Amino acid sequence: DAKTTQPNSMESNEEEPVHLPCNHSTISGTDYIHWYRQLPSQGPEYVIHGLTSNVNNRMASLAIAEDRKSSTLILHRATLRDAAVYYCILRIGIQGAQKLVFGQGTRLTINP
Amino acid sequence: EAGVAQSPRYKIIEKRQSVAFWCNPISGHATLYWYQQILGQGPKLLIQFQNNGVVDDSQLPKDRFSAERLKGVDSTLKIQPAKLEDSAVYLCASSLGRGPFFGPGTRLTVL
């Protein structure tokens, strides 16, 4: 299965931007890049996804490298509630049989 | 819009006992997933349904785990008999195009 590589942990300060990197050098042309986050004792929460172009939503931005072998999740102004484990995931497979293969994720700590 | 519902939220059993988890996906979502998340690890896909058919169960330990999806809506995951290493959070998720969207999970402790 296609895999992603993320740092185990990162730390940032409240109200500052956070850039979470992800490498996915074995990505294929039809694989979507998804980001989820997981707060303690909760299920993973969808954050954002993209294929080739950069994407923005109310939660975050996703910057995808031109060769698609890496991407960066950007939290523009971190709050204490953004402290979570962030997973960069490739959605692989054909329509109707697509699946997410999770890695270890990055544990993000936000300092007040 | 109601989210994915799971029950029970917590379950404690002894090894060699049986246990079942229930999932009610978001209305209209054709795809349903069961994931296992061991403490400190990312979720691992156990089984994926498209409507009431199995799409992928390659990581399901079929000697002890079974799952079904009734009429393409609700789903049940069963473990019989449970082992100590089955202690984990069992997550159900569903999708229709976007997502998937996850439920809160069932935390299983096997003593």
Side-chain angles (χ1 to χ4, degrees):
Chain A
D1 287 333
K3 291 185 177 177
T4 61
T5 304
Q6 300 176 251
N8 288 334
S9 62
M10 289 185 63
E11 200 169 323
S12 186
N13 297 319
E14 199 174 9
E15 299 186 4
E16 291 184 356
V18 180
H19 291 235
L20 296 163
C22 181
N23 288 319
H24 27 79
S25 58
T26 60
I27 192 170
S28 69
T30 56
D31 294 344
Y32 279 78
I33 301 158
H34 283 241
W35 283 82
Y36 279 72
R37 71 180 186 182
Q38 189 171 25
L39 280 66
S41 300
Q42 294 187 25
E45 174 189 25
Y46 168 84
V47 177
I48 201 167
H49 78 282
L51 184 62
T52 56
S53 304
N54 294 344
V55 184
N56 300 295
N57 66 22
R58 63 176 180 82
M59 290 181 70
S61 295
L62 175 60
I64 302 173
E66 198 169 327
D67 63 4
R68 300 209 326 125
K69 293 184 185 298
S70 66
S71 61
T72 302
L73 179 72
I74 303 165
L75 307 178
H76 294 285
R77 198 161 169 265
T79 70
L80 296 177
R81 288 174 297 193
D82 292 322
V85 177
Y86 286 78
Y87 294 99
C88 168
I89 308 153
L90 299 183
R91 191 177 77 182
I92 62 176
I94 61 173
Q95 184 70 26
Q98 293 168 330
K99 63 181 182 181
L100 301 180
V101 180
F102 284 76
Q104 295 292 96
T106 295
R107 182 173 298 279
L108 176 64
T109 301
I110 304 296
N111 300 314
Chain B
E1 178 183 77
V4 176
Q6 291 188 246
S7 67
R9 291 295 313 276
Y10 305 91
K11 190 74 177 179
I12 300 174
I13 62 172
E14 294 190 351
K15 60 183 180 183
R16 291 188 289 274
Q17 285 188 322
S18 302
V19 65
F21 314 126
W22 173 82
C23 172
N24 179 231
I26 294 172
S27 178
H29 281 197
T31 308
L32 186 146
Y33 311 79
W34 282 102
Y35 281 83
Q36 179 193 57
Q37 186 172 25
I38 293 172
L39 188 64
Q41 299 181 17
K44 181 183 85 171
L45 179 67
L46 291 176
I47 189 167
Q48 178 180 345
F49 293 93
Q50 181 72 11
N51 295 308
N52 59 354
V54 176
V55 172
D56 185 346
D57 63 357
S58 57
Q59 303 247 57
L60 188 73
K62 298 181 187 64
D63 57 334
R64 298 184 300 107
F65 285 64
S66 64
E68 61 179 2
R69 189 174 183 195
L70 306 172
K71 299 180 181 177
V73 182
D74 291 5
S75 178
T76 303
L77 177 69
K78 296 179 182 177
I79 308 174
Q80 181 180 11
K83 292 185 176 181
L84 296 177
E85 59 261 36
D86 298 333
S87 293
V89 175
Y90 291 85
L91 295 159
C92 179
S94 69
S95 70
L96 180 67
R98 215 166 65 86
F101 300 93
F102 285 80
T106 296
R107 181 177 298 278
L108 173 68
T109 302
V110 182
L111 303 176

